[in-house]
Amino acid sequence: MKFNKWLMTGLVLSGLWITSTQPTNAEADASIQNESIYDLYVDRYFNKVITNDYDVNAKDPNAFAGGDFLGIIEKMDHIKDMGFTTISIGPVFATETYDGKRVLDFNALEKRFGTPEEFQQLINEAHKHHLKIMIEFPLNNYSLNHIWNAETDWILSTDNDVLTLDLENAEVQQALINTLVEFTNTYGVDGIKLSELNGAPTSFINEIITSVKEVRDPMYVIALEESDANFDVNYSEELQVNLRNAFKNTDLPTENIVSTNYNDLLLIDDLHTERFTYYSALENMFPPTRIKTALGAMLTMPGVPYMTYGTEIAMNGQNAQESHQVMNFRVDEELIEYIKDINSIRNKSETMRTGKIELLENENGYIVYKRYSDDEQFIVVINNTSQTKRIDLTKDIVGENKELHGLFESDIVRADDNGEYRLVLDREIVEVYQITDRKGLNKSYIFAMALSYILFLAFLVIVWKKGKQRKNEQTNKK
C-alpha cells in the first residue's frame, strides 16, 4: 500500500506544470494584484545590534524593545520563504513611541531603528530578494515636540499631548507633500501606506498619491482606513470584520466574504485591532487551524492579501500592549509551512492572482469556486464546517475528459460513469484542485519505479547470498 501511495503521489507531481512552467511573481508585470503584503513594526521584529538600543526595555510593553533595520535584514528570508512579496513597515522617522506614530522630525530616521545607511541597506537587500518595501506615513497626530509645533498657524489642536494639524491648510498640505516626495526620492521605497487620514480632504490625499507616483513607477499607495481617494487597493472595515467573523469558528456565514474585486485588501486583523487569534480563542477553537483556513481563502480569492506579523505563530492579543509582541522565531513550523505552500500556489499561478472567478457554492462555511483563465483552471474548496463535505461537479464546469489534481492531498479525481467529478473534503480544510487533461498512466515513470523496485530486490538477494556464503565459510573453518 505504501508503495502504491508513493507511486500515485509521484504520478500526480509529474503531471503538474505549476512547479516549473508558470512565471513567478517576480517575473510578472508590476501590479499590486500580484503582491501579498506582510506588515510589521521595526521595533517589534528583531534586534540585530545593541549599539542603537537607547533606553530600551523589552519587558515594558509600552517601551522600545530594540528591533532595528538590520534585524529585518537578518530575518528577511523568513518573510521571503513564506511567499510574501511586499514588506510593509511602520513609520521610520524620529519618534517618541515604538510604533513610530508620535513623529518628532521627518528629516531624521529613528536612531533606535538604525542609520540612514542601514535603512538604505534594508531596501537594497529587499530588492535583491525580489521583495518590495512599503513605509507607513502618518498625515497627522504627531508628538507635541515635533519640529512643526512652532508653526502655530498650522495647528488645530494639542489635546491629549498630541499635535493635530489642520489638514485643510494649504501650507500644511504642501509641507506634507514635499516631505513625502523628498523621502521617496532619497530612498528607493516601493510603496507608501498613508495613515491618520481623519480631517484630510480627498483632493489632498489624491494630490499626495499623484506626487509620489511621479517619483517612481511602480509606487503603490494604500491605506488601512476607508477613503474615496485613489488608492491602489480598496480597504473595507466591513470586509475585514466579515472575514474575521467567518473563520473564527466553523459553520458561520460566509456569503459576504468572497471577494470578486481584484483591488480589495484582504485581511483578518491589523496592528490596530485585536489579533485574529484572540477571537478564535474566545470561540474555544484551535487558532492555527482557524488561521490556515482563513489564509487558504484569502490567498486563493481575487484581491490583495495582507497579513500582520506574528500571524504565522498565532500571536495573540486584545490590545496594543498584548498584540505588539516582539516576534518569536522559535516556534513550531507547521503553520509557517502551510503559508509557504498556499502562497507558492498563488505566486506561481497568474490565474490565482488575476484570473476570473466563478462561485459554485457558498453556504455557512462551505465555499467552492473556480479560478480560471485561457491558460489554466483551478477548483478551490474551502470546508470551514464541522462535517465532511461533498460536491459533484458537472462537465460543464470542469470540462470533458479532464482530471482534477489535489495540490495538498495529492489525490486525483476523474469523472464517474455519469460524467461528474465528486470532490470530498474533510472538515476545516482548504484544497486547491488543478484541472488538467486526462492522461493515461505515465509509462516512463512506472517503468522507472518498477526498475528501481527490481534493483532493490536484487540488492537484497545479493546481500542475503553474501551473508549465507560467509556463514557457510565460517562453518567449514570450524
Side-chain angles (χ1 to χ4, degrees), residues 153-357:
D153 293 340
W154 294 9
I155 299 173
L156 196 63
S157 168
T158 56
D159 295 340
N160 301 317
D161 294 329
V162 174
L163 181 68
T164 304
L165 302 178
D166 180 4
L167 296 182
E168 295 186 2
N169 184 306
E171 290 184 356
V172 172
Q173 293 179 359
Q174 195 58 54
L176 287 167
I177 291 172
N178 291 345
T179 298
L180 191 47
V181 168
E182 181 179 356
F183 174 76
T184 52
N185 266 315
T186 301
Y187 304 100
V189 298
D190 308 285
I192 298 294
K193 181 174 71 175
L194 295 180
S195 61
E196 306 294 339
L197 304 184
N198 189 35
T202 301
S203 58
F204 166 52
I205 299 175
N206 284 337
E207 189 175 355
I208 293 176
I209 295 171
T210 299
S211 298
V212 295
K213 283 182 175 289
E214 289 175 351
V215 174
R216 191 170 297 107
D217 184 26
M219 174 72 73
Y220 303 136
V221 186
I222 73 170
L224 265 64
E225 302 173 36
E226 294 183 353
S227 171
D228 293 329
N230 300 324
F231 288 109
D232 289 298
V233 294
N234 305 318
Y235 169 77
S236 166
E237 182 180 0
E238 181 182 7
L239 178 58
Q240 178 179 348
V241 171
N242 288 343
L243 282 165
R244 180 194 74 200
N245 289 342
F247 291 106
K248 66 184 182 182
N249 205 330
T250 59
D251 304 305
L252 294 174
T254 49
E255 288 76 15
N256 53 1
I257 68 162
V258 178
S259 171
T260 57
N261 188 328
Y262 296 85
N263 290 333
D264 278 344
L265 197 63
L266 307 177
L267 65 167
I268 51 176
D269 63 17
D270 62 59
L271 290 168
H272 305 288
T273 69
E274 299 88 349
R275 291 282 180 154
F276 177 75
T277 294
Y278 167 77
Y279 288 100
S280 60
L282 285 179
E283 299 284 323
N284 293 317
M285 301 298 288
F286 184 55
T289 301
R290 303 285 82 237
I291 292 170
K292 282 183 182 180
T293 312
L295 292 180
M298 288 166 47
L299 288 162
T300 56
M301 290 193 300
V304 181
Y306 185 103
M307 192 183 89
T308 310
Y309 88 98
T311 301
E312 69 270 34
I313 61 171
M315 187 179 288
N316 200 354
Q318 183 180 6
N319 51 45
Q321 289 79 10
E322 296 172 345
S323 61
H324 297 171
Q325 302 169 31
V326 175
M327 179 64 183
N328 180 8
F329 292 93
R330 298 177 181 178
V331 294
D332 184 73
E333 293 285 323
E334 182 179 350
L335 181 52
I336 295 172
E337 289 297 324
Y338 177 82
I339 296 172
K340 289 180 183 180
D341 291 340
I342 196 72
N343 231 337
S344 176
I345 295 173
R346 184 179 191 275
N347 287 339
K348 292 178 180 179
S349 169
E350 185 177 356
T351 299
M352 199 62 75
R353 301 191 304 271
T354 61
K356 298 177 182 178
I357 182 171

Side-chain angles (χ1 to χ4, degrees), residues 250-255 290 293 361-369 379-393 409 411 413 421-431 433:
T250 59
D251 304 305
L252 294 174
T254 49
E255 288 76 15
R290 303 285 82 237
T293 312
E361 186 161 337
N362 186 4
E363 184 177 4
N364 294 336
Y366 186 59
I367 315 169
V368 184
Y369 47 86
I379 299 293
V380 179
V381 182
I382 302 168
N383 184 7
N384 189 40
T385 77
S386 56
Q387 303 175 29
T388 298
K389 288 285 188 176
R390 159 190 146 190
I391 187 171
D392 295 326
L393 303 178
E409 299 298 321
D411 57 330
V413 178
Y421 301 81
R422 176 167 296 178
L423 305 182
V424 179
L425 200 65
D426 288 339
R427 53 175 292 179
E428 300 183 81
I429 288 179
V430 176
E431 179 62 291
Y433 295 91

Side-chain angles (χ1 to χ4, degrees), residues 113-131:
F113 298 166
T115 65
E117 292 76 18
E118 289 167 346
F119 180 55
Q120 188 61 63
Q121 182 184 350
L122 165 61
I123 295 168
N124 294 342
E125 287 297 321
H127 291 168
K128 288 180 184 178
H129 284 72
H130 303 291
L131 292 167

Side-chain angles (χ1 to χ4, degrees), residues 71-94:
I72 298 175
I73 295 175
E74 179 75 10
K75 296 299 183 179
M76 190 172 290
D77 282 341
H78 171 74
I79 302 172
K80 175 69 175 179
D81 289 346
M82 283 191 295
F84 292 96
T85 64
T86 298
I87 306 174
S88 172
I89 298 173
V92 297
F93 311 99

